[in-house]
Amino acid sequence: MKKFLFVDLDDTLFQTPKKCAAETALEPAAYLKDGAPCSFTTPRQRAFLDFARREMTLIPATARNADAFGRVDLPFASYAVLDYGGVVLQPGGALDAGWLDLMRADMHAALPGLREAMRVIDDFQATLGRPARARLIEDYATPFYLVIKDHEANGERLAQIEEEALRPWLAGPGADYFIHRNGNNLALLPLALNKARAVSYLRAELEAEHGPILSFGMGDSHSDARFMAACDYAIVPSGTQLAALTLAAL
């Protein structure tokens, strides 16, 4: 039986230097647009990656868009799930046009709500005199989700945006959207956009090709739990948001 690992990237297989300051022997794994390394693997992460590659096929399931994914220097050779599930790449990197057509219709239906949420966030920030503004993330000419980062990486300010601006909006006109917040990243996504949907689609494709498969899901954040639950087994790195929500409570 063939084995597949659907795996998140940032803070799962690699992370920024700030998040692994106590580690040694770091190696670059992802780069900025100017070519400077920005994320690194630890020796244990590289050992896990070597083990996983021997035993199963790795399929990234990431929030990164095509450009950011192209700046990841890890040996992936199968499918890839990008943009929180909005985009699927086939082995070799070709776009799965059928999946994008499906998602594009859903995302354009969600666009008015995303724009309304941008106004809610920007108005809230303006009343407090803060510079951060929401950005609409697009890929392959398709709008997918909003993201906001604090200019000083202040998580408390992002929490304030979530609780005082977005939660009331979600309770009313924003019922078809959800929030993902982890570190200095606050995102608002349509319910139709999630990695679990794309992973379920790929599981069906893989089973049609190979027969029954054994699937694993691996991720670090609360939002990853849904795609991990769509797999047969879940792997949670220690010291992550998802570990704190599950393992640390035991």
Side-chain angles (χ1 to χ4, degrees), residues 5-201:
L5 173 63
F6 294 91
V7 59
D8 178 57
L9 298 180
D10 294 84
D11 296 326
T12 298
L13 292 184
F14 52 75
Q15 59 283 307
T16 61
K18 182 179 179 180
K19 295 180 180 179
C20 51
E23 297 281 353
T24 59
L26 299 177
E27 294 184 3
Y31 299 83
L32 299 173
K33 290 184 178 182
D34 64 4
C38 59
S39 294
F40 297 80
T41 59
T42 67
R44 285 185 296 276
Q45 287 172 323
R46 294 193 295 275
F48 174 82
L49 186 59
D50 289 342
F51 158 75
R53 291 179 61 214
R54 289 194 303 269
E55 298 295 328
M56 54 192 115
T57 299
L58 273 62
I59 299 177
T62 178
R64 286 175 172 256
N65 62 19
D67 177 65
F69 179 64
R71 291 184 270 110
V72 173
D73 186 19
L74 291 178
F76 299 118
S78 183
Y79 293 93
V81 174
L82 311 182
D83 296 291
Y84 283 110
V87 169
V88 169
L89 301 183
Q90 298 173 343
L95 177 69
D96 186 322
W99 179 254
L100 183 60
D101 286 344
L102 174 65
M103 293 305 301
R104 182 172 283 153
D106 289 345
M107 294 304 98
H108 279 290
L111 183 57
L114 291 176
R115 287 177 172 157
E116 181 180 349
M118 288 180 72
R119 290 192 294 272
V120 169
I121 294 168
D122 291 351
D123 289 349
F124 180 79
Q125 291 289 84
T127 62
L128 297 175
R130 295 177 183 168
R133 296 291 183 266
R135 292 187 295 118
L136 179 63
I137 303 301
E138 301 182 67
D139 206 9
Y140 292 96
T142 304
F144 284 115
Y145 61 96
L146 301 183
V147 68
I148 183 169
K149 298 179 184 291
D150 186 75
H151 65 292
E152 295 178 340
N154 187 323
E156 292 182 0
R157 287 198 286 251
L158 291 181
Q160 187 180 16
I161 294 171
E162 177 181 349
E163 294 302 324
E164 297 182 26
L166 285 179
R167 290 292 175 191
W169 183 77
L170 290 174
D176 292 330
Y177 301 80
F178 71 99
I179 292 170
H180 164 63
R181 181 164 64 88
N182 193 1
N184 192 37
N185 184 71
L186 173 63
L188 181 77
L189 299 84
L191 291 176
L193 179 68
N194 64 80
K195 296 179 186 179
R197 188 178 178 189
V199 168
S200 296
Y201 165 73

